[in-house]
């Protein structure tokens, strides 16, 4: 099987089940850190991503190592410092960190557009955005694009005034709202669907945004193109086998596809200024 990112570089990926002894030699003889934005608890992310990165490593001969952070603000700090060779980050993060330290998008989730949403407890009397006026509302972090930035902007435009509280992750939003600690909360469709039924079934969606470009897979400047290509090929090939498809389902992914920097220009056009590089977090 042959896949390319469109840069002229092509890596051959053999059928599933390839052993490291037969995998292509990696262009880097060190672990490659793959940083994943902590929309969910780091332990849950590890359960989902460790098998995927192990499979990609086996297929390609590169040692892709899972990394994340305890909170989204800490993740932002680490991305700004270039701690991750490859980072999976939200659309707004990408527009910031493509400037400095210069991450370059090369892939995105296949067939996905990102939609923000607001949830409330199913047993509550809150059924629409306007019902949150004057209430405390939970959000993951100030710079969470679809789960925070877009809902707050839409509420402001509609004259709905809320008191935002930042609870570090999407999972924390859903858990707090389901327990009645907040009147509502911001999230996205994928992370809501990934919640355990005992939490998800206590929630209802009361508002959903229009669609935006999804999260970006982006490489740090200086990472060898052959390594970026190997990661792309390895992850893309997961959809070719039942085992790989099972791994992708845990992420609620259909697969990944090639992407270019300009696909996030619509996010840049919003002229958001929520993260100042170099500020202490």
């Amino acid at each position: 099987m042959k896949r390319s990112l469109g840069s002229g570089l092509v890596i051959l990926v053999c059928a599933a089940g390839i052993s490291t002894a037969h995998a292509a030699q990696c262009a880097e003889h060190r672990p490659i850190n793959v940083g994943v934005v902590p929309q969910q608890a780091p332990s849950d992310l590890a359960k989902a991503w460790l098998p995927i990165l192990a499979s990609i490593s086996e297929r390609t001969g590169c040692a892709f190592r899972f990394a994340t952070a305890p909170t989204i603000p800490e993740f932002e700090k680490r991305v700004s410092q270039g701690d991750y060779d490859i980072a999976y980050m939200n659309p707004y993060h990408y527009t910031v960190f493509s400037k400095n330290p210069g991450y370059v998008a090369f892939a995105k989730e296949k067939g996905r557009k990102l939609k923000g949403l607001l949830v409330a407890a199913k047993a509550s009397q809150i059924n629409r955005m306007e019902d949150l006026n004057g209430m405390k509302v939970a959000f993951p972090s100030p710079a969470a694009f679809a789960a925070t930035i877009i809902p707050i902007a839409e509420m402001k435009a509609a004259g709905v005034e809320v008191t935002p509280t930042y609870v570090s992750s999407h999972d924390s939003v859903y858990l707090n709202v389901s327990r009645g600690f907040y009147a509502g909360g911001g999230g996205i469709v994928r992370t809501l669907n990934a919640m355990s039924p005992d939490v998800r079934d206590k929630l209802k969606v009361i508002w959903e945004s229009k669609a935006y470009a999804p999260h970006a897979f982006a490489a740090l400047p200086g990472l060898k193109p052959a390594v970026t290509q190997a990661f792309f090929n390895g992850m893309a090939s997961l959809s070719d086998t039942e085992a790989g498809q099972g791994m992708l389902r845990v992420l609620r992914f259909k697969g990944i596809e090639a992407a270019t920097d300009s696909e996030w220009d619509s996010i840049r056009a919003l002229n958001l200024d929520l993260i100042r590089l170099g500020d202490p977090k």
Side-chain angles (χ1 to χ4, degrees):
M1 176 178 306
K2 186 165 70 173
R3 291 183 172 89
S4 174
L5 285 175
S7 62
L9 175 66
V10 174
I11 300 290
L12 294 177
V13 179
C14 298
I18 187 171
S19 69
T20 51
H22 296 93
Q25 184 176 4
C26 187
E28 288 281 7
H29 302 291
R30 63 175 178 84
I32 308 300
N33 290 326
V34 180
V36 179
V37 61
Q39 295 173 312
Q40 300 163 269
S43 59
D44 291 336
L45 288 179
K47 289 177 184 177
W49 281 95
L50 285 173
I52 287 174
L53 295 180
S55 178
I56 296 173
S57 297
E58 184 179 26
R59 291 163 185 254
T60 64
C62 292
F64 293 108
R65 183 170 61 187
F66 170 79
T68 188
T71 65
I72 293 176
E74 179 62 25
F75 175 80
E76 294 164 359
K77 178 181 177 181
R78 294 178 187 182
V79 177
S80 73
Q81 295 171 167
D83 288 358
Y84 310 122
D85 299 294
I86 294 172
Y88 177 64
M89 64 185 93
N90 79 36
Y92 174 64
H93 284 153
Y94 177 64
T95 65
V96 173
F97 300 121
S98 63
K99 295 178 182 177
N100 186 10
Y103 280 89
V104 179
F106 64 89
K108 62 184 179 181
E109 183 183 350
K110 187 176 182 179
R112 174 78 69 181
K113 290 289 186 179
L114 191 61
K115 289 186 176 183
L117 51 80
L118 289 167
V119 298
K122 190 173 288 186
S124 75
Q125 299 301 309
I126 295 171
N127 296 305
R128 55 191 190 130
M129 176 193 287
E130 289 77 6
D131 295 337
L132 293 173
N133 191 49
M135 304 284 191
K136 289 185 178 180
V137 178
F139 298 97
S141 74
F145 177 70
T148 302
I149 296 170
I150 296 304
I152 287 180
E154 291 288 345
M155 284 190 285
K156 183 177 180 180
V160 177
E161 296 185 7
V162 302
T163 301
T165 302
Y166 303 107
V167 294
S168 299
S169 73
H170 291 222
D171 282 7
S172 291
V173 168
Y174 304 136
L175 189 61
N176 276 283
V177 174
S178 73
R179 292 178 176 177
F181 297 145
Y182 296 94
I188 63 174
V189 175
R190 182 177 59 79
T191 57
L192 178 61
N193 288 341
M195 284 300 293
S196 61
D198 61 317
V199 174
R200 187 177 64 243
D201 292 348
K202 294 177 182 177
L203 300 171
K204 57 187 174 184
V205 176
I206 61 170
W207 173 86
E208 190 172 277
S209 77
K210 69 178 184 180
Y212 291 90
H215 286 47
F217 287 92
L220 191 67
L223 184 65
K224 293 179 180 179
V227 177
T228 303
Q229 185 73 60
F231 177 89
F232 177 85
N233 286 352
M235 191 157 184
S237 67
L238 291 174
S239 59
D240 296 337
T241 68
E242 289 187 10
Q245 290 167 13
M247 294 178 192
L248 292 171
R249 279 195 294 273
V250 175
L251 292 180
R252 301 301 197 274
F253 272 35
K254 295 178 182 178
I256 68 167
E257 57 190 1
T260 59
D261 175 80
S262 62
E263 293 181 53
W264 286 268
D265 283 349
S266 62
I267 312 301
R268 294 182 175 100
L270 297 174
N271 293 317
L272 301 170
D273 186 20
L274 300 169
I275 297 176
R276 288 172 175 79
L277 299 178
D279 284 357
K281 292 286 185 181

